[in-house]
């Protein structure tokens, strides 16, 4: 079901229909265009879209598919079906040309593999053009659309006599013309001509009595007359008779040919339906190519999951101008069925809404759609829209009344298979009442299970979407600094209307804007402010996430390298140990052998002292030669940097525990005890066990930077939870602003941040200069720069810390 009946015009599909008509070659294809309609039959939609996709594939591959002579001959066939009727020579010429196109189409599918074009190939098999009728027509009609001389023996005889008579009369006329020219009756440049189907000579009016013959005509001025000489009068009559005979014979031939055609009319009518379909599909495929449209996966369930969807009516003209449409990414699924889109006026909300409706409508009309690969199409039986002003004087309907009339239909007919689109929900009446009614309607639509997209400025609807399952907020992105729309839909958060900022930009007095803010109340102003700040922080964190992703990839690579190196070292260690064990076994074996030989020699020599001594010396030489350890040169360990420092130990001092290498920072004193931070640990240690060390020693031992600490203990976890790297001081006075900066910097340095963001606004640049000059006094600040233009430019200072 579609609602309202002007849905096509509101979505712009009527313009696409006109484009398709223009792309068709013949009325056959145009008749199919007129029959396009939204289908609620899933199988039919799948078939129609697949047909178009197959034709798109044919055109993309560049196959030799016919591209001309898509002639509509269906009216000729209707006349031919009537007994006694005959078709003209020109009509048979059209039939011959169009039947050739049909046969070429059928031959194309016959020559392709069945799986190449399954739907069109199967349809082509049902079309029959009997060769007998095409051969019969070809025997009568030549390639120029003329009746062949060989169409019948009688026609051949007549034409031969006609040619002979025409040649004879031409010879006579040339003789008469030459004589008249020599007598001065006609000018030298005058030639023979034809009047009323008879050959005549143009003669000057004053000489018309000198040439005997019949006057057929005269010129507009009356100075020239066209005379048929008496000598050729009979010959011209003969030619006229032969022409009548030729015409009668041609009519007889065409009558017979029409009779031969008559039995094949039903098959030919079906064949011309096939030809019209091919023309129609070619037009759809050509339009798809212009739009960059595809056939995404199609499922018989309700959802929307599109990537880089483009509005067709914007994409086509933009493409000619060399521009690009900002694509739309949108997803609606069971738990987030209804999208509440907010944002400033002229930000692209209505275009996005119509893009959703038009693409879904196009697809269920059998057209390919301009979305990117990776998109998938769902199926809806109903599409309801409430777009534009439907006020009517005849029906006594105001703008708001017309909206409520549409909502009544939505509430009565919406179900789980419905897609509804509502533009500027609830407008046209008092905002408070309109917002309340809109909220109640939205709650009922949510219960119906329908899917939809709603554009609104009402805050209560944004809040409802945030806390209700089935609803999800969305925003059209907007450059808050330059007050320019980005035309990008972002799902998951509401958008600000930027009403005050736009009012200021167009020159509305500041006093008026400030007074409006006071009347609105701090709650609504803070809500809008929070939305803008969330947008800024989201973009900042998006960039940070990219940086973290890069670092994670580097870390993963380094970890992989480390793991590979560790495995290599372990394998090498095992090899070395195995080799050492093998050598040890060999040495032990050799040593045992030597010992046994030594014992045997001692026994044999009965332990003579001199011989025993000699054997022992040899045994010692073996040990020194084979078992002596080789020296390994170890690198000298780096000397610890330790510089003691004189003076009392106070909070902020760097200390070392006497007799140990642990170095920490004193963060507080309690009598004779000191609270010391060593890394992430805190410990209480007696003062007499500590010795003071220099900053250099502390940095060498820990690698940490010097940070300012207060005299009292600090709960770092609490500060980290409450700290934001973004400081907004717009509207603050100088002294107040600098106090905020000091507190902000102290916390940032303590928590180890390396980049901060201070929002001071542009204005006259006074607060910006004051803040930056003050920051230059911090030794921890390594640099400052303006934020990216899209996120505030000179109105925001990025602070880099060492």
């Amino acid at each position: 079901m579609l609602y309202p009946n002007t849905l096509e015009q509101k979505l712009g599909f009527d313009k696409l229909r006109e484009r398709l008509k223009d792309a068709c070659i013949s009325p056959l294809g145009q008749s199919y265009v007129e029959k396009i309609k939204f289908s609620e039959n899933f199988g039919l939609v799948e078939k129609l879209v697949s047909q178009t996709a197959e034709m798109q594939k044919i055109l993309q591959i560049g196959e030799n598919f016919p591209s001309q002579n898509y002639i509509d001959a269906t009216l000729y066939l209707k006349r031919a079906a009537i007994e006694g009727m005959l078709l003209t020579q020109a009509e048979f010429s059209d039939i011959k040309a169009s039947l050739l196109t049909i046969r070429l189409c059928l031959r194309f599918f016959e020559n392709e593999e069945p799986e190449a074009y399954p739907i069109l190939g199967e349809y082509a098999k049902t079309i029959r053009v009997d060769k007998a009728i095409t051969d019969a027509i070809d025997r009568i009609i030549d390639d120029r659309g003329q009746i062949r001389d060989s169409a019948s023996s009688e026609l051949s005889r007549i034409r031969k006599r006609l040619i002979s008579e025409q040649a004879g009369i031409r010879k006579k006329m040339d003789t008469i013309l030459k004589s008249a020219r020599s007598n001065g009756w006609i000018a030298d440049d005058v030639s023979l001509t034809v009047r009323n189907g008879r050959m005549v000579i143009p003669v000057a009016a004053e000489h018309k009595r000198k040439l005997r013959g019949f006057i057929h005509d005269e010129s507009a001025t009356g100075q020239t007359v066209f005379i048929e000489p008496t000598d050729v009068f009979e010959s011209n009559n003969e030619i006229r008779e032969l022409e009548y005979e030729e015409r009668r014979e041609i009519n007889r031939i065409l009558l017979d040919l029409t009779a031969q055609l008559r039995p094949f009319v039903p098959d030919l009518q079906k064949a011309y339906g096939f030809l019209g379909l091919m023309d129609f599909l070619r037009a759809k495929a050509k339009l798809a190519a212009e739009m960059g449209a595809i056939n995404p996966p199609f499922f018989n369930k309700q959802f929307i999951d599109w990537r880089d969807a483009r509005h067709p009516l914007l994409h086509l003209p933009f493409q000619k101008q060399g521009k690009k449409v900002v694509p739309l990414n949108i997803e609606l699924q069971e738990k987030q069925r209804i999208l509440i889109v907010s944002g400033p006026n002229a930000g692209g909300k209505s275009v996005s809404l119509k893009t959703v409706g038009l693409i879904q409508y196009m697809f269920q009309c059998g057209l390919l759609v301009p979305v990117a690969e990776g998109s998938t199409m769902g199926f809806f039986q109903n599409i309801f829209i409430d777009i534009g002003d439907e006020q009517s004087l005849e029906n006594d309907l105001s703008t708001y009344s017309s909206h409520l009339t549409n909502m009544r239909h939505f509430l009565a007919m919406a179900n789980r298979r419905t897609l509804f689109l509502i533009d500027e929900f609830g407008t046209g009446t008092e905002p408070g009442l309109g917002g309340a009614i809109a909220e109640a309607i939205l709650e009922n639509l949510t219960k119906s299970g329908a899917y939809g997209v709603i554009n609104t400025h009402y805050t209560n609807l944004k809040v409802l979407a945030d806390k209700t399952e089935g609803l999800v907020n969305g925003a059209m992105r907007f450059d808050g600094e330059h007050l320019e729309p980005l035309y990008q839909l972002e799902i998951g958060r509401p958008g600000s209307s930027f009403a005050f900022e736009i009012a200021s930009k167009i020159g509305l007095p500041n006093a008026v804007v400030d007074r409006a803010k006071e009347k609105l109340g701090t709650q609504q102003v803070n809500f809008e402010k929070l939305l803008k700040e969330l947008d800024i922080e989201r973009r900042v964190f998006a960039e940070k996430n990219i940086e973290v992703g890069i670092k994670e990839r580097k870390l993963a690579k380094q970890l992989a390298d480390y793991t590979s190196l560790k495995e290599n070292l372990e394998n090498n260690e095992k090899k070395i140990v195995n080799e050492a064990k093998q050598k040890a076994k060999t040495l032990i074996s050799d040593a045992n052998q030597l010992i046994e030989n030594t014992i045997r020699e001692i026994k044999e020599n009965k332990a003579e002292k001199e011989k025993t001594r000699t054997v022992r010396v040899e045994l010692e030489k073996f040990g020194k030669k084979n078992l002596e350890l080789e020296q390994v040169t170890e690198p000298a360990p780096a000397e610890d940097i330790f510089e003691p420092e004189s003076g009392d130990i106070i909070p902020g001092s760097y200390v070392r525990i006497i007799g140990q290498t642990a170095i920490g920072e004193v963060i507080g004193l309690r009598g004779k005890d000191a609270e010391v931070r060593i890394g992430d640990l805190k410990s209480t240690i007696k003062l007499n066990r500590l010795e003071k060390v220099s900053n250099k020693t502390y940095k060498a031992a820990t690698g940490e930077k010097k940070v300012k600490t207060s005299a009292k203990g600090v709960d770092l976890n609490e500060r980290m939870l409450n700290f934001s790297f973004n400081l907004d001081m717009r509207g603050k006075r100088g002294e107040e602003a600098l106090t905020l900066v000091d507190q902000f910097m102290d916390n940032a340095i303590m928590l180890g941040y390396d980049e901060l963001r201070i929002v001071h606004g542009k204005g006259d640049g006074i607060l910006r200069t004051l803040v930056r000059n003050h920051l230059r006094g911090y030794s921890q600040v390594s640099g400052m720069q303006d934020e990216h233009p899209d996120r505030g430019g000179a109105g925001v200072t990025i602070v880099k810390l060492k």
Side-chain angles (χ1 to χ4, degrees), residues 334-368:
E334 181 65 28
K335 293 185 179 179
Q336 295 182 346
R337 299 187 306 277
I338 302 176
L339 175 63
I340 309 299
V341 182
S342 50
N345 288 325
K349 297 193 302 296
S350 295
V351 172
S352 297
L353 190 79
K354 291 181 179 180
T355 301
V356 173
L358 183 55
I359 287 180
Q360 189 67 43
Y361 189 84
M362 284 173 61
F363 194 81
Q364 292 192 226
C365 285
L367 275 69
L368 304 186

Side-chain angles (χ1 to χ4, degrees), residues 102 138 377 647 770:
I102 293 173
D138 191 55
M377 297 295 300
L770 185 65

Side-chain angles (χ1 to χ4, degrees), residues 439-488:
E439 185 173 341
I441 292 172
L442 180 56
E443 288 174 346
N444 277 273
L445 288 174
T446 305
K447 293 176 183 177
S448 72
Y451 290 69
V453 180
I454 296 174
N455 292 341
T456 187
H457 289 287
Y458 286 137
T459 302
N460 63 315
L461 298 186
K462 303 176 191 178
V463 175
L464 179 66
D466 191 50
K467 64 182 181 180
T468 304
E469 183 175 351
L471 303 180
V472 61
N473 272 307
M476 298 307 298
R477 293 188 60 192
F478 194 80
D479 185 348
E481 184 66 25
H482 298 92
L483 299 180
E484 295 176 350
L486 300 176
Y487 305 112
Q488 296 174 348

Side-chain angles (χ1 to χ4, degrees), residues 78 176 183 275 387 398 446 493 508 570 660 736 760:
K78 288 181 180 178
I176 296 170
N183 290 328
L275 184 65
I387 300 174
S398 67
T446 305
R493 66 173 189 85
L508 207 64
E570 289 176 349
Q660 298 183 19
E736 182 184 5
H760 41 63

Side-chain angles (χ1 to χ4, degrees), residues 297-345:
F298 183 38
F299 298 95
N300 191 9
K301 59 181 181 179
Q302 289 66 52
F303 71 94
I304 288 177
D305 187 7
W306 302 343
R307 302 288 177 269
D308 291 345
R310 303 172 300 282
H311 193 293
L313 297 178
L314 283 181
H315 177 74
L316 293 172
F318 272 37
Q319 194 175 40
K320 292 180 179 178
Q321 300 169 17
K323 300 179 182 178
K324 287 187 177 180
V325 176
V326 178
L328 174 71
N329 294 317
I330 183 170
E331 180 179 0
L332 299 181
Q333 37 87 8
E334 181 65 28
K335 293 185 179 179
Q336 295 182 346
R337 299 187 306 277
I338 302 176
L339 175 63
I340 309 299
V341 182
S342 50
N345 288 325

Side-chain angles (χ1 to χ4, degrees), residues 436-718:
I437 294 175
E439 185 173 341
I441 292 172
L442 180 56
E443 288 174 346
N444 277 273
L445 288 174
T446 305
K447 293 176 183 177
S448 72
Y451 290 69
V453 180
I454 296 174
N455 292 341
T456 187
H457 289 287
Y458 286 137
T459 302
N460 63 315
L461 298 186
K462 303 176 191 178
V463 175
L464 179 66
D466 191 50
K467 64 182 181 180
T468 304
E469 183 175 351
L471 303 180
V472 61
N473 272 307
M476 298 307 298
R477 293 188 60 192
F478 194 80
D479 185 348
E481 184 66 25
H482 298 92
L483 299 180
E484 295 176 350
L486 300 176
Y487 305 112
Q488 296 174 348
L489 174 63
E490 183 178 1
I491 297 178
R493 66 173 189 85
S496 170
S497 297
F498 289 90
F500 294 130
E501 289 79 5
I502 294 174
S504 298
K505 182 179 181 180
I506 64 175
L508 207 64
N510 291 335
V512 175
V513 176
D514 292 341
R515 182 60 178 157
K517 290 180 180 179
E518 293 176 6
K519 288 181 174 295
L520 183 61
T522 58
Q523 183 177 1
Q524 181 65 27
V525 172
N526 289 338
F527 181 77
E528 294 290 325
K529 179 181 177 183
L530 179 61
L531 287 178
K532 289 183 289 182
E533 290 179 352
L534 284 175
D535 182 58
I536 292 172
E537 291 196 6
R538 183 200 61 78
R539 282 182 279 176
V540 171
F541 278 115
E543 292 185 359
K544 292 294 183 185
N545 284 337
I546 294 174
E547 293 179 8
V548 170
I550 294 172
K551 290 179 180 178
E552 284 182 347
R553 286 193 292 273
K554 288 182 179 179
L555 180 61
K557 184 178 182 303
Q558 290 175 351
L559 181 59
D561 293 342
Y562 165 77
T563 303
S564 176
L565 180 60
K566 181 173 179 293
E567 289 177 356
N568 289 335
L569 289 175
E570 289 176 349
N571 290 334
N572 289 336
E573 181 184 7
K574 290 177 181 178
K575 290 179 182 179
I576 293 170
V577 170
N578 289 338
E579 290 176 1
K581 288 180 178 179
Q582 187 62 40
K583 287 182 179 180
K585 287 181 180 180
T586 303
L587 287 173
I588 291 171
S589 177
D590 292 344
N592 288 336
Q593 185 66 40
L594 180 60
I595 291 170
E596 288 177 3
N597 292 338
T598 303
I599 293 171
R600 187 175 65 252
E601 288 183 15
I602 291 173
K603 286 180 178 181
E604 290 175 354
N605 291 285
K606 297 180 180 180
E608 291 181 5
K609 290 184 178 180
E610 189 61 35
K611 188 65 177 176
T612 302
R613 187 180 300 111
T614 302
V615 172
R616 286 180 176 174
V617 170
E618 290 179 359
L619 187 58
E620 289 175 1
K621 286 181 180 179
F622 175 83
K624 288 180 179 179
K625 179 180 178 181
N626 295 290
L627 302 178
E628 185 176 0
L629 298 177
E630 296 184 7
Q631 291 185 352
V632 178
T633 303
E634 294 285 351
E639 294 184 4
D640 292 337
I641 299 174
F642 175 68
E643 295 180 358
E645 190 171 295
S646 60
D648 296 333
I649 295 175
I650 61 174
S653 297
Y654 298 124
V655 295
R656 184 174 77 162
I657 301 174
I658 298 173
Q660 298 183 19
T661 59
I663 294 177
E665 178 187 6
V666 177
I667 59 177
L669 295 177
R670 298 176 185 174
K672 295 182 179 181
D673 296 331
E675 187 175 3
V676 180
R677 179 176 66 87
I678 302 175
D680 294 331
L681 300 176
K682 294 178 183 179
S683 180
T684 302
I685 305 171
K686 296 290 184 181
L687 280 172
N688 56 12
R689 292 187 58 205
L690 302 174
E691 59 179 334
K692 193 173 182 182
V693 298
S694 64
N695 293 347
K696 184 177 180 182
T697 303
Y698 178 77
K699 290 180 69 175
T702 64
E704 295 184 10
K705 303 172 184 177
K706 179 176 176 64
V707 297
K708 294 183 179 181
T709 56
S710 62
K712 297 181 180 180
V714 178
D715 189 337
L716 294 177
N717 290 332
E718 182 180 355

